[in-house]
Amino acid sequence: MTALDAGPVGALKIAPSILAADFGSLAQAVKDIDEETDWLHVDVMDGHFVPNVSIGPPVVASLRRYSTRFFDCHLMMSEPGRYLEAFARAGADGCTVHVEVGDSAALIAQARELGLRVGLAANPDTDFAAVAPFLGDIDLLLLMTVFPGFGGQSFISEVMDKVREARRVITSRGLNVDVEVDGGIDATTAPIAVEAGANVLVAGSAIFGRADSLGAARAIRAAAGGR
Ligand code: DX5
Ligand code: ZN
């Protein structure tokens, strides 16, 4: 249950979202893009916080056998506290809970206790003020660039003001917090998000929706200024 190293805080990281992959051949999909994967983004949907249902701990446990990358689990769940331990046991390295579900301090403490890297997520219409009080207690701030629940939506550029504000506060306070964006990220929007201050880029359809998923991931990294 020891979590993998997430890599240097603030460095550019590409996090392919398996939500857009073929669930019938997930292991192969994950292997195909391994070379360009810093973190593997796992979207967990409970059918309550968001309308869809996706995957849970058993799939994380299975994928763990096929990847040595950092597993970045995004819990779009109303009651993530009921499942954090199961995700940690299954092989999650980091878990991100949404600030909108409340109990953030307790959830952050619980995830920390389990040895997880801890993330806090905010929807596009949630103000920075909602997450600001927790910045000193988390490792990752996830600022959604679409409303959660579905892949393949368009990037909401208005969120970049919040990304800028978050990065400014994190820098000025000298905090070790990654800023992740999720939704509508491709080779065109990636540089916009990086310019605003994001350093972890989640991309689903722009990677797994392409015939050459590895090349697509590489193109996003290059567009974002990576190697
Ligand atoms: C949205 C999920 C995203 C999603 C992104 O609810 O949290 O991670 O997979 O998909 P794309 O990159 O297709 O917008
Ligand atoms: Zn996500």
Side-chain angles (χ1 to χ4, degrees), residues 134-157:
F134 304 104
L135 284 179
D137 305 315
I138 59 176
D139 304 301
L140 171 76
L141 178 64
L142 167 52
L143 297 175
M144 294 300 300
T145 39
V146 299
F147 284 89
F150 307 91
Q153 304 180 76
S154 298
F155 178 78
I156 302 173
S157 57

Side-chain angles (χ1 to χ4, degrees), residues 56-66 71 86-87 89-92:
V59 175
V60 172
S62 295
L63 280 179
R64 195 67 284 181
R65 298 203 295 272
Y66 301 96
F71 279 10
F87 279 103
R89 283 184 186 281

